[in-house]
Amino acid sequence: MKKVLLLLAICFAFGVTNAQDQKEPQSIGSTILEKIKSEKLSIGGYGEVHYNQQISGKERYNGNMDVHRMVLFFGYQFNDKTSFVTEIEYEHVKELYVEQAFLNYNIKPNTSIRGGLMLVPMGITNEYHEPTTFNGVERPSVDKYIVPTTWREIGVGITGRLANAPLKYQLYVMNGFNGFDGSGKLRGSDGFRKGRQKGAESTFTSPSLSAKVDYYGIKGLNLGLSGYFGKTQSSEFNGLDKDDDFAEEVADSTRVGISMLGLDLRYKLDAFQVKGQYIHSYINDVKEYNDKTGKDLGKQMRGYYLEAGYDLLHGKEQSLVPFVRYENYNTHHKVDGITANKAYDREDWFVGLSYHLAKGAVVKVDYQRFKDGNDVKKNFINCGFGVWF
């Protein structure tokens, strides 16, 4: 960690004089806020249609075809300081979600207060998940099982950038994962994924803290450092007698503490592009939680990936990007009171092609090779298209 902080400090010192020449990273929320400064009302969207086919030399598998998601977003500016952003998402044709819904108030030119349903700033894809912003038909596996994308909760906080330095910051107090609603929701196979509350009649027991700093002082480079700290929510605290110490102890056994740290990197040099991410979660009181709920949640979860690509049509209106990505993710990186399940120690290799027909329209294909700690291997061909407008 000390080496990472030293690297960030060196990069900051090197790039601070050129801060005004670089652009801060723009998530979908920030993009909408920029658009409504001139349009007042902004309407857009993104969507993905996928085909996934497992392949094997000896067995036959059916393919899966899916309108994975279709999203509409809206932004409205009430005055120079006050605006609203929301995303409405359909998944798999039949599932309807609100992905974002926050009120933004500019207290200074480079500083805003936000409140509502917001994306947790962890890693890359959780904030930048539109299909034209990443290679591969599906979002990275690390962002599905470790982060987990798309992760959003209700909260309030501050976001902005420094006027004289290439740093963007976000700091939010938010609701957290729901770990217990009569039964345990967190488990070894997919970590926190089932605990996402998504702003839908969310249980609130105690707040969590989410923060991220992005450095963008060197041309083509973005470095991110993110953190999330808090305890999971539990229905056992609803109606609890404050003087009943035994009941308090029982309720505490349905919660875990979470400290999640993330490092991410994006870099483009002409046609060459590289992307990497590392996420590590430390979970407290796991043994008590598993004993109470019968689950197999790990004590630590870790995941990382590294991706490289090259635009064969660099400088032209269209782009053609062959890429390769390696992912390693383990939701039983460390355990407490249970035996680590080797099936949860997984890795993926992706080799693929992204053909951007125009800005905002992409056709993708990739070959995926999966293997877990039990040496179970699976191969997939994935293809599809995505749009963002």
Side-chain angles (χ1 to χ4, degrees):
M1 181 60 71
K2 291 182 179 179
K3 292 181 179 179
V4 172
L5 293 176
L6 178 60
L7 176 61
L8 291 174
I10 292 173
C11 290
F12 173 77
F14 179 78
V16 67
T17 56
N18 297 321
Q20 301 303 321
D21 297 328
Q22 308 304 322
K23 293 183 178 180
E24 67 175 282
Q26 294 286 324
S27 65
I28 181 62
S30 298
T31 301
I32 296 172
L33 288 172
E34 286 295 319
K35 289 180 65 177
I36 59 180
K37 286 182 180 180
S38 58
E39 301 176 9
K40 198 174 182 70
L41 173 65
S42 177
I43 300 174
Y46 66 89
E48 300 173 89
V49 178
H50 296 165
Y51 174 72
N52 310 97
Q53 175 71 63
Q54 184 173 351
I55 56 176
S56 171
K58 297 181 180 180
E59 298 175 282
R60 176 176 174 175
Y61 298 91
N62 288 327
N64 182 59
M65 307 183 78
D66 186 23
V67 181
H68 198 144
R69 54 181 59 90
M70 289 292 161
V71 181
L72 286 175
F73 52 76
F74 304 88
Y76 187 80
Q77 182 155 349
F78 299 96
N79 56 38
D80 291 342
K81 292 186 175 182
T82 309
S83 50
F84 175 72
V85 171
T86 189
E87 283 187 65
I88 309 299
E89 176 177 21
Y90 277 96
E91 287 195 4
H92 315 297
V93 178
K94 58 186 179 180
E95 300 173 12
L96 178 63
Y97 299 99
V98 178
E99 192 157 296
Q100 294 189 81
F102 65 84
L103 193 64
N104 189 85
Y105 184 75
N106 298 324
I107 56 177
K108 295 194 320 188
N110 297 324
T111 308
S112 300
I113 294 176
R114 290 182 183 176
L117 182 64
M118 299 178 290
L119 297 172
V120 178
M122 177 60 64
I124 300 174
T125 309
N126 203 53
E127 290 188 279
Y128 306 91
H129 51 255
E130 296 72 35
T132 58
T133 63
F134 61 89
N135 290 315
V137 174
E138 302 291 345
R139 296 169 180 175
S141 301
V142 169
D143 290 295
K144 178 178 180 180
Y145 293 101
I146 304 296
V147 173
T149 301
T150 303
W151 178 18
R152 68 273 194 191
E153 296 293 348
I154 296 174
V156 63
I158 188 168
T159 180
R161 60 181 176 86
L162 300 186
N164 298 312
L167 290 175
K168 175 185 176 181
Y169 61 87
Q170 300 178 73
L171 179 64
Y172 305 117
V173 177
M174 312 183 84
N175 196 13
F177 294 111
N178 186 4
F180 189 86
D181 63 355
S183 61
K185 299 178 70 67
L186 312 180
R187 57 189 184 179
S189 60
D190 52 9
F192 304 130
R193 191 164 187 84
K194 296 297 182 182
R196 296 174 301 161
Q197 302 205 68
K198 307 176 184 179
E201 299 183 324
S202 302
T203 296
F204 179 80
T205 308
S206 62
S208 298
L209 181 68
S210 176
K212 186 172 186 182
V213 176
D214 283 287
Y215 168 80
Y216 54 96
I218 299 174
K219 185 177 181 180
L221 175 68
N222 188 91
L223 296 172
L225 174 64
S226 48
Y228 175 87
F229 311 93
K231 299 194 73 171
T232 57
Q233 320 302 306
S234 171
S235 61
E236 288 293 282
F237 286 87
N238 193 36
L240 183 69
D241 185 346
K242 295 180 180 179
D243 297 324
D244 190 335
D245 294 337
F246 177 75
E248 183 87 18
E249 184 177 342
V250 172
D252 277 335
S253 69
T254 66
R255 305 178 74 196
V256 296
I258 300 172
S259 296
M260 185 185 297
L261 300 173
L263 290 170
D264 60 79
L265 174 149
R266 287 167 286 165
Y267 182 64
K268 286 187 177 182
L269 178 63
D270 297 327
F272 178 71
Q273 53 187 250
V274 64
K275 183 183 295 186
Q277 178 172 288
Y278 178 86
I279 307 290
H280 201 134
S281 293
Y282 301 85
I283 310 168
N284 299 324
D285 304 319
V286 168
K287 187 177 185 304
E288 294 79 3
Y289 179 83
N290 288 337
D291 289 344
K292 172 67 176 178
T293 64
K295 298 297 182 179
D296 62 344
L297 183 65
K299 184 178 180 180
Q300 292 186 27
M301 299 190 298
R302 185 194 70 177
Y304 64 89
Y305 70 78
L306 185 64
E307 175 187 298
Y310 190 88
D311 184 1
L312 299 176
L313 302 178
H314 177 65
K316 299 182 179 180
E317 181 179 353
Q318 296 183 332
S319 63
L320 183 64
V321 182
F323 75 95
V324 59
R325 182 172 71 241
Y326 173 74
E327 300 195 53
N328 187 293
Y329 49 105
N330 188 352
T331 49
H332 269 185
H333 179 61
K334 288 189 178 181
V335 296
D336 187 6
I338 59 175
T339 301
N341 190 333
K342 292 183 178 180
Y344 301 158
D345 184 4
R346 294 157 279 191
E347 67 176 24
D348 282 311
W349 278 99
F350 290 86
V351 178
L353 193 68
S354 298
Y355 181 28
H356 294 260
L357 305 173
K359 185 177 181 181
V362 62
V363 176
K364 304 179 181 181
V365 62
D366 63 66
Y367 172 77
Q368 174 188 0
R369 185 167 185 174
F370 167 90
K371 185 178 77 170
D372 68 18
N374 291 322
D375 205 34
V376 173
K377 299 177 181 178
K378 298 178 182 179
N379 302 322
F380 298 87
I381 293 292
N382 307 303
C383 59
F385 72 85
V387 297
W388 179 22
F389 57 93

